[in-house]
Amino acid sequence: MSKNTKLEIAVEILATKIAMTTRLGKTENDIEIKELMKERDEMYTGNEEIIDKIIKIYGPEVKKAYENS
């Protein structure tokens, strides 16, 4: 998979993960959101480790949430 494709997928997954977390009542002052925002910044700088983490860890979480809804 190309780096561009991986980035596009990671962007969508992370956006959904942030939305899911805020729906749980978390705000930008909560540690979870701060961590997600930090990972977002790292993702946009091209950090391959973070992009892989988003796809491999958050991807299945997002998929499971959609399957259960």
Side-chain angles (χ1 to χ4, degrees):
M1 181 181 326
S2 75
K3 286 184 180 185
N4 226 16
T5 302
K6 285 175 69 172
L7 179 60
E8 297 269 339
I9 292 168
V11 166
E12 294 299 324
I13 291 170
L14 191 58
T16 303
K17 175 71 173 168
I18 292 169
M20 290 169 45
T21 305
T22 57
R23 272 188 259 141
L24 296 173
K26 304 293 180 181
T27 67
E28 65 270 0
N29 297 322
D30 290 306
I31 292 171
E32 293 170 66
I33 293 293
K34 285 181 181 181
E35 181 66 27
L36 291 171
M37 294 302 187
K38 180 181 173 189
E39 290 174 343
R40 182 193 64 180
D41 293 342
E42 288 290 317
M43 174 188 68
Y44 281 123
T45 64
N47 185 326
E48 286 292 321
E49 289 179 23
I50 295 296
I51 292 170
D52 288 339
K53 175 186 176 183
I54 292 167
I55 292 171
K56 292 178 182 176
I57 295 175
Y58 299 153
E61 290 176 20
V62 168
K63 182 179 178 184
K64 184 176 180 182
Y66 275 106
E67 288 174 347
N68 292 334
S69 61

